[in-house]
Amino acid sequence: MDDQEFQTRAGDALAVLHKRLTIASDQHAFEADFNAGALTVEFEDPPAKFVVSPNSPVRQIWVSAHSKSFKLDFDAARGTFVLGATGQTLVELLAEAIGKQLGEEVKL
């Protein structure tokens, strides 16, 4: 995948994720913001901030959540970014991380 294709795929993935987060934030205690190519999810109680951003040089989307870094690669067969260690998609990973933060199940 070249840089242009990565930028397109990452941008599309983050835009879809932001839309799902915005809908879910109406029912859960967090706020999502998509600015300058990075997506943030912020919580008041308990306070935390997750960051989702593309990393062009390595063609990955990086997620920082719960003091950990998750690096997702594009899986052409599935058509989405996936965490190699678990097989979770970007949406599934964020839903799980947000649910863990809030102590309740979150569907995105």
Side-chain angles (χ1 to χ4, degrees):
M1 168 179 350
D2 65 20
D3 191 56
Q4 182 62 41
E5 183 180 357
F6 170 75
Q7 290 297 332
T8 300
R9 291 186 186 276
D12 291 349
L14 291 180
V16 167
L17 180 59
H18 181 248
K19 184 176 182 177
R20 290 177 174 217
L21 288 168
T22 299
I23 292 167
S25 70
D26 288 341
Q27 278 135 37
H28 300 284
F30 68 87
E31 290 186 26
D33 185 42
F34 190 26
N35 193 9
L39 187 118
T40 58
V41 181
E42 296 189 58
F43 307 87
E44 285 187 26
D45 188 27
K49 182 177 182 178
F50 298 168
V51 179
V52 182
S53 59
N55 188 318
S56 293
V58 292
R59 311 276 195 277
Q60 294 176 323
I61 290 181
W62 287 9
V63 177
S64 173
H66 300 293
S67 301
K68 294 181 184 174
S69 179
F70 303 92
K71 298 172 179 160
L72 293 87
D73 294 297
F74 188 76
D75 182 331
R78 294 174 70 183
T80 190
F81 287 86
V82 175
L83 183 62
T86 65
Q88 288 177 297
T89 66
L90 178 60
V91 170
E92 291 167 346
L93 176 68
L94 258 290
E96 181 180 293
I98 292 168
K100 180 179 176 183
Q101 178 69 21
L102 297 175
E104 61 193 38
E105 183 177 0
V106 174
K107 294 189 183 209
L108 300 178

